[in-house]
Amino acid sequence: IGSGRTYKDVTCANLATGSMILATLQGSGGSGVAVAYCARLSSTKFRIVLTKAAARNVYVAWFVLS
């Protein structure tokens, strides 16, 4: 997730309605920055939302349980 951003939309094939999406930061995005939640946007896209804007670029690891 880029510096200054509060979310990232991710494309993922065949995302079922009841899917559970788990995400975790792979480094520090700055003080107080954490994954707040993930939300399914469509059958092919979900959003990872941070608690506040990232102070620096930060990678996120994620996986989906259907």
Coordinates of all heavy atoms in Angstrom, one line a residue:
I1 N 0.9 -1.2 0.0 CA 0.0 0.0 0.0 C 0.9 1.2 0.0 O 1.8 1.3 0.8 CB -0.9 0.0 1.2 CG1 -1.9 -1.2 1.2 CG2 -1.8 1.3 1.3 CD1 -2.8 -1.4 2.3
G2 N 0.6 2.1 -0.9 CA 1.5 3.3 -1.1 C 1.4 4.3 0.1 O 0.4 4.4 0.8
S3 N 2.5 5.0 0.2 CA 2.6 6.1 1.2 C 1.5 7.1 1.0 O 1.1 7.5 -0.1 CB 3.9 6.8 1.1 OG 4.1 7.9 1.9
G4 N 0.8 7.5 2.1 CA -0.3 8.4 2.1 C -1.6 7.8 1.8 O -2.7 8.5 1.8
R5 N -1.7 6.5 1.5 CA -2.9 5.8 1.2 C -3.5 5.2 2.4 O -2.8 4.8 3.3 CB -2.7 4.8 0.1 CG -2.1 5.2 -1.2 CD -3.0 6.1 -2.0 NE -4.3 5.5 -2.2 CZ -4.8 5.0 -3.3 NH1 -4.0 4.9 -4.4 NH2 -6.0 4.4 -3.4
T6 N -4.8 5.0 2.4 CA -5.5 4.4 3.5 C -6.1 3.0 3.1 O -6.7 2.3 4.0 CB -6.7 5.3 4.1 OG1 -7.6 5.6 3.0 CG2 -6.1 6.6 4.7
Y7 N -6.1 2.7 1.8 CA -6.6 1.4 1.4 C -6.0 1.0 0.1 O -5.3 1.8 -0.6 CB -8.2 1.5 1.2 CG -8.6 2.4 0.0 CD1 -8.8 1.8 -1.2 CD2 -8.9 3.7 0.2 CE1 -9.2 2.6 -2.3 CE2 -9.3 4.5 -0.9 CZ -9.4 3.9 -2.1 OH -9.8 4.7 -3.2
K8 N -6.2 -0.3 -0.3 CA -5.7 -0.8 -1.5 C -6.8 -1.8 -2.0 O -7.2 -2.7 -1.3 CB -4.4 -1.6 -1.3 CG -3.9 -2.3 -2.5 CD -3.4 -1.3 -3.6 CE -2.8 -2.1 -4.8 NZ -2.4 -1.2 -5.8
D9 N -7.2 -1.7 -3.3 CA -8.1 -2.6 -3.9 C -7.3 -3.7 -4.6 O -6.3 -3.4 -5.2 CB -9.0 -1.9 -4.9 CG -10.0 -1.0 -4.3 OD1 -10.3 -1.1 -3.1 OD2 -10.6 -0.1 -5.0
V10 N -7.7 -5.0 -4.4 CA -7.0 -6.1 -4.8 C -7.9 -6.9 -5.8 O -9.1 -7.2 -5.4 CB -6.6 -7.0 -3.7 CG1 -5.8 -8.2 -4.2 CG2 -5.7 -6.2 -2.7
T11 N -7.4 -7.3 -6.9 CA -8.2 -8.2 -7.8 C -7.9 -9.6 -7.5 O -6.8 -10.0 -7.3 CB -7.8 -7.9 -9.3 OG1 -8.1 -6.5 -9.6 CG2 -8.5 -8.8 -10.3
C12 N -9.0 -10.4 -7.4 CA -8.9 -11.8 -7.0 C -10.0 -12.6 -7.7 O -11.1 -12.2 -7.7 CB -9.0 -12.0 -5.5 SG -8.9 -13.6 -4.9
A13 N -9.7 -13.7 -8.5 CA -10.7 -14.4 -9.2 C -11.6 -15.2 -8.3 O -11.1 -15.7 -7.3 CB -10.0 -15.3 -10.2
N14 N -12.8 -15.3 -8.6 CA -13.8 -16.1 -8.0 C -13.9 -15.9 -6.5 O -13.8 -16.8 -5.7 CB -13.5 -17.6 -8.3 CG -13.5 -17.9 -9.7 OD1 -14.3 -17.4 -10.5 ND2 -12.6 -18.7 -10.2
L15 N -14.2 -14.7 -6.1 CA -14.3 -14.3 -4.7 C -15.8 -14.6 -4.3 O -16.7 -13.8 -4.6 CB -13.9 -12.9 -4.5 CG -13.7 -12.4 -3.1 CD1 -12.6 -13.2 -2.4 CD2 -13.2 -10.9 -3.1
A16 N -16.0 -15.6 -3.5 CA -17.4 -16.0 -3.2 C -18.0 -15.0 -2.2 O -17.3 -14.3 -1.4 CB -17.4 -17.4 -2.5
T17 N -19.3 -14.9 -2.1 CA -20.0 -14.0 -1.2 C -19.6 -14.2 0.2 O -19.4 -13.2 1.0 CB -21.5 -14.1 -1.4 OG1 -21.9 -13.9 -2.7 CG2 -22.3 -13.1 -0.5
G18 N -19.5 -15.4 0.7 CA -19.2 -15.7 2.1 C -17.7 -15.8 2.4 O -17.3 -16.3 3.5
S19 N -16.8 -15.4 1.4 CA -15.4 -15.6 1.7 C -14.9 -14.7 2.8 O -15.4 -13.7 3.1 CB -14.6 -15.1 0.4 OG -14.9 -16.0 -0.7
M20 N -13.9 -15.3 3.5 CA -13.2 -14.6 4.6 C -11.9 -14.1 4.1 O -11.1 -15.0 3.5 CB -13.1 -15.4 5.8 CG -14.4 -15.8 6.5 SD -14.2 -16.8 8.0 CE -13.6 -18.3 7.3
I21 N -11.5 -12.9 4.3 CA -10.3 -12.3 3.8 C -9.4 -11.9 5.0 O -9.9 -11.1 5.8 CB -10.5 -11.1 2.8 CG1 -11.5 -11.5 1.7 CG2 -9.2 -10.6 2.3 CD1 -12.2 -10.3 1.1
L22 N -8.2 -12.5 5.0 CA -7.3 -12.2 6.1 C -6.1 -11.5 5.6 O -5.6 -11.9 4.5 CB -6.9 -13.4 6.9 CG -8.0 -14.3 7.4 CD1 -7.5 -15.6 7.9 CD2 -8.8 -13.6 8.4
A23 N -5.7 -10.4 6.2 CA -4.6 -9.6 5.7 C -3.7 -9.1 6.9 O -4.2 -8.8 8.0 CB -5.0 -8.4 4.9
T24 N -2.4 -9.0 6.7 CA -1.5 -8.5 7.7 C -0.4 -7.7 7.1 O 0.1 -8.0 6.0 CB -0.9 -9.7 8.6 OG1 -0.1 -9.2 9.6 CG2 -0.1 -10.7 7.7
L25 N 0.1 -6.7 7.7 CA 1.2 -5.9 7.2 C 2.5 -6.7 7.3 O 2.7 -7.4 8.2 CB 1.3 -4.6 8.0 CG 0.1 -3.6 8.0 CD1 0.5 -2.4 8.8 CD2 -0.2 -3.2 6.6
Q26 N 3.3 -6.5 6.3 CA 4.6 -7.1 6.2 C 5.7 -6.1 6.5 O 6.8 -6.1 5.8 CB 4.8 -7.8 4.9 CG 3.7 -8.8 4.6 CD 3.8 -10.0 5.6 OE1 4.8 -10.7 5.6 NE2 2.8 -10.1 6.4
G27 N 5.5 -5.3 7.5 CA 6.5 -4.2 7.8 C 5.7 -3.1 8.5 O 4.5 -3.2 8.7
S28 N 6.4 -2.0 8.7 CA 5.8 -0.9 9.4 C 5.4 0.1 8.4 O 6.1 0.6 7.5 CB 6.8 -0.2 10.3 OG 6.3 1.0 10.9
G29 N 4.1 0.5 8.5 CA 3.5 1.6 7.7 C 3.6 2.9 8.4 O 3.1 3.9 7.9
G30 N 4.2 2.9 9.6 CA 4.2 4.1 10.4 C 3.5 3.9 11.7 O 2.8 2.9 11.9
S31 N 3.7 4.8 12.6 CA 3.1 4.7 14.0 C 1.5 4.6 13.9 O 0.9 5.5 13.2 CB 3.5 5.9 14.8 OG 2.9 5.8 16.1
G32 N 1.0 3.6 14.5 CA -0.5 3.5 14.5 C -1.1 2.9 13.3 O -2.4 2.9 13.2
V33 N -0.3 2.5 12.3 CA -0.9 2.0 11.0 C -1.0 0.5 11.2 O -0.1 -0.2 11.5 CB 0.0 2.3 9.8 CG1 -0.6 1.7 8.6 CG2 0.1 3.8 9.6
A34 N -2.2 0.0 10.9 CA -2.5 -1.5 11.0 C -3.6 -1.7 10.0 O -4.3 -0.8 9.5 CB -3.0 -1.9 12.4
V35 N -3.9 -3.0 9.7 CA -5.1 -3.4 8.9 C -6.3 -3.2 9.8 O -6.4 -3.8 10.8 CB -4.9 -4.8 8.4 CG1 -6.2 -5.2 7.6 CG2 -3.7 -4.9 7.4
A36 N -7.2 -2.4 9.3 CA -8.5 -2.2 10.0 C -9.5 -3.3 9.7 O -10.1 -3.9 10.5 CB -9.1 -0.8 9.7
Y37 N -9.7 -3.5 8.4 CA -10.6 -4.5 7.9 C -10.4 -4.8 6.4 O -9.7 -4.0 5.7 CB -12.0 -4.2 8.2 CG -12.5 -2.9 7.5 CD1 -13.1 -3.0 6.2 CD2 -12.4 -1.7 8.0 CE1 -13.6 -1.9 5.5 CE2 -12.9 -0.5 7.4 CZ -13.4 -0.7 6.1 OH -13.9 0.5 5.5
C38 N -11.0 -5.9 5.9 CA -11.0 -6.2 4.5 C -12.5 -6.3 4.1 O -13.3 -6.8 4.9 CB -10.3 -7.5 4.2 SG -8.5 -7.5 4.6
A39 N -12.8 -5.8 2.9 CA -14.2 -5.9 2.5 C -14.3 -6.4 1.0 O -13.5 -5.9 0.2 CB -14.8 -4.5 2.6
R40 N -15.2 -7.3 0.8 CA -15.4 -7.8 -0.6 C -16.2 -6.7 -1.3 O -17.2 -6.2 -0.9 CB -16.3 -9.1 -0.5 CG -16.6 -9.7 -1.8 CD -17.5 -10.9 -1.6 NE -17.9 -11.5 -2.9 CZ -18.9 -11.2 -3.6 NH1 -19.7 -10.2 -3.2 NH2 -19.2 -11.8 -4.8
L41 N -15.7 -6.3 -2.5 CA -16.4 -5.3 -3.3 C -17.2 -5.9 -4.4 O -18.2 -5.4 -4.8 CB -15.3 -4.4 -3.9 CG -14.5 -3.6 -2.9 CD1 -13.4 -2.8 -3.6 CD2 -15.3 -2.7 -2.0
S42 N -16.7 -7.1 -4.9 CA -17.4 -7.8 -6.0 C -16.8 -9.2 -6.1 O -16.0 -9.6 -5.2 CB -17.1 -7.1 -7.3 OG -15.8 -7.3 -7.7
S43 N -17.3 -10.0 -7.1 CA -16.8 -11.4 -7.2 C -15.3 -11.4 -7.6 O -14.7 -12.5 -7.6 CB -17.7 -12.1 -8.2 OG -17.5 -11.5 -9.5
T44 N -14.7 -10.3 -8.0 CA -13.4 -10.3 -8.4 C -12.5 -9.2 -7.7 O -11.3 -9.0 -8.1 CB -13.3 -10.0 -10.0 OG1 -13.9 -8.7 -10.2 CG2 -14.0 -11.0 -10.8
K45 N -13.0 -8.6 -6.7 CA -12.2 -7.5 -6.1 C -12.6 -7.4 -4.6 O -13.7 -7.5 -4.2 CB -12.5 -6.2 -6.8 CG -11.6 -5.0 -6.4 CD -11.8 -3.8 -7.2 CE -11.3 -4.0 -8.6 NZ -11.3 -2.8 -9.4
F46 N -11.6 -7.1 -3.8 CA -11.8 -6.7 -2.4 C -10.9 -5.6 -2.0 O -9.9 -5.2 -2.7 CB -11.6 -7.9 -1.4 CG -10.1 -8.5 -1.3 CD1 -9.3 -8.0 -0.4 CD2 -9.7 -9.4 -2.2 CE1 -8.0 -8.5 -0.3 CE2 -8.4 -9.9 -2.1 CZ -7.5 -9.4 -1.2
R47 N -11.2 -5.0 -0.8 CA -10.4 -3.8 -0.4 C -9.8 -4.1 1.0 O -10.4 -4.6 1.9 CB -11.3 -2.6 -0.3 CG -10.6 -1.3 0.2 CD -11.5 -0.1 0.1 NE -11.6 0.2 -1.4 CZ -12.4 1.1 -1.9 NH1 -13.3 1.8 -1.1 NH2 -12.4 1.3 -3.2
I48 N -8.5 -3.7 1.1 CA -7.8 -3.8 2.4 C -7.7 -2.3 2.9 O -7.2 -1.4 2.2 CB -6.4 -4.3 2.2 CG1 -6.4 -5.7 1.7 CG2 -5.6 -4.3 3.6 CD1 -5.1 -6.3 1.2
V49 N -8.3 -2.1 4.1 CA -8.4 -0.7 4.7 C -7.5 -0.6 5.9 O -7.5 -1.5 6.8 CB -9.8 -0.4 5.0 CG1 -9.9 1.0 5.6 CG2 -10.7 -0.5 3.8
L50 N -6.7 0.4 6.0 CA -5.8 0.7 7.1 C -6.4 1.6 8.1 O -7.4 2.3 7.8 CB -4.5 1.4 6.6 CG -3.7 0.6 5.6 CD1 -2.5 1.5 5.1 CD2 -3.3 -0.8 6.0
T51 N -5.9 1.5 9.3 CA -6.4 2.4 10.4 C -6.2 3.9 10.2 O -6.9 4.7 10.7 CB -5.8 2.0 11.8 OG1 -4.4 2.0 11.7 CG2 -6.3 0.6 12.2
K52 N -5.1 4.2 9.4 CA -4.8 5.6 9.0 C -3.9 5.5 7.9 O -3.4 4.4 7.5 CB -4.3 6.4 10.2 CG -2.9 6.0 10.7 CD -2.6 6.8 11.9 CE -1.1 6.9 12.1 NZ -0.7 7.8 13.2
A53 N -3.6 6.6 7.3 CA -2.8 6.7 6.1 C -1.3 6.2 6.4 O -0.8 6.5 7.4 CB -2.7 8.1 5.5
A54 N -0.8 5.4 5.5 CA 0.5 4.9 5.6 C 1.6 6.0 5.5 O 1.5 6.8 4.6 CB 0.8 3.8 4.6
A55 N 2.5 6.0 6.4 CA 3.6 7.0 6.4 C 4.6 6.7 5.3 O 5.4 7.6 4.9 CB 4.2 7.2 7.7
R56 N 4.7 5.4 5.0 CA 5.6 4.9 3.9 C 5.0 3.7 3.2 O 4.0 3.2 3.7 CB 6.9 4.5 4.6 CG 6.8 3.4 5.6 CD 8.1 3.1 6.4 NE 8.5 4.2 7.3 CZ 8.1 4.3 8.5 NH1 7.2 3.5 9.0 NH2 8.6 5.3 9.3
N57 N 5.5 3.4 2.1 CA 5.0 2.2 1.4 C 5.1 1.0 2.3 O 6.1 0.8 3.0 CB 5.8 1.9 0.1 CG 5.7 3.0 -0.9 OD1 4.7 3.8 -0.8 ND2 6.5 3.0 -1.9
V58 N 4.1 0.1 2.3 CA 4.1 -1.1 3.1 C 3.4 -2.2 2.3 O 2.4 -2.0 1.7 CB 3.4 -0.8 4.5 CG1 2.0 -0.5 4.3 CG2 3.6 -2.0 5.4
Y59 N 4.1 -3.4 2.4 CA 3.5 -4.6 1.8 C 2.5 -5.2 2.7 O 2.6 -5.1 3.9 CB 4.6 -5.6 1.4 CG 5.5 -5.2 0.3 CD1 6.7 -4.6 0.5 CD2 5.0 -5.4 -1.0 CE1 7.5 -4.2 -0.5 CE2 5.8 -5.0 -2.1 CZ 7.1 -4.4 -1.8 OH 7.9 -4.0 -2.9
V60 N 1.5 -5.9 2.1 CA 0.5 -6.6 2.8 C 0.4 -8.0 2.3 O 0.4 -8.3 1.1 CB -0.9 -5.9 2.7 CG1 -2.0 -6.7 3.4 CG2 -0.9 -4.5 3.1
A61 N 0.4 -9.0 3.2 CA 0.2 -10.4 2.9 C -1.3 -10.7 3.1 O -1.9 -10.2 4.1 CB 1.0 -11.3 3.7
W62 N -1.9 -11.4 2.2 CA -3.4 -11.7 2.3 C -3.7 -13.1 1.8 O -2.9 -13.6 1.0 CB -4.2 -10.7 1.7 CG -3.9 -10.5 0.2 CD1 -3.1 -9.6 -0.4 CD2 -4.5 -11.3 -0.9 NE1 -3.1 -9.8 -1.7 CE2 -3.9 -10.8 -2.1 CE3 -5.4 -12.3 -0.9 CZ2 -4.2 -11.3 -3.3 CZ3 -5.7 -12.9 -2.2 CH2 -5.2 -12.4 -3.3
F63 N -4.8 -13.7 2.3 CA -5.3 -14.9 1.7 C -6.8 -14.9 2.0 O -7.3 -14.3 2.8 CB -4.6 -16.1 2.2 CG -4.7 -16.5 3.6 CD1 -5.7 -17.4 4.1 CD2 -3.9 -15.9 4.6 CE1 -5.8 -17.7 5.4 CE2 -4.0 -16.2 5.9 CZ -5.0 -17.1 6.4
V64 N -7.5 -15.7 1.1 CA -8.9 -15.8 1.1 C -9.3 -17.2 1.5 O -8.8 -18.2 0.9 CB -9.5 -15.4 -0.2 CG1 -11.0 -15.6 -0.3 CG2 -9.1 -14.0 -0.6
L65 N -10.3 -17.4 2.4 CA -10.9 -18.6 2.8 C -12.3 -18.6 2.2 O -13.1 -17.7 2.6 CB -10.9 -18.8 4.3 CG -9.5 -18.8 5.0 CD1 -9.7 -18.8 6.5 CD2 -8.7 -20.0 4.6
S66 N -12.6 -19.6 1.4 CA -14.0 -19.6 0.8 C -14.9 -20.6 1.5 O -14.5 -21.6 2.0 CB -13.9 -19.9 -0.7 OG -13.2 -18.9 -1.4

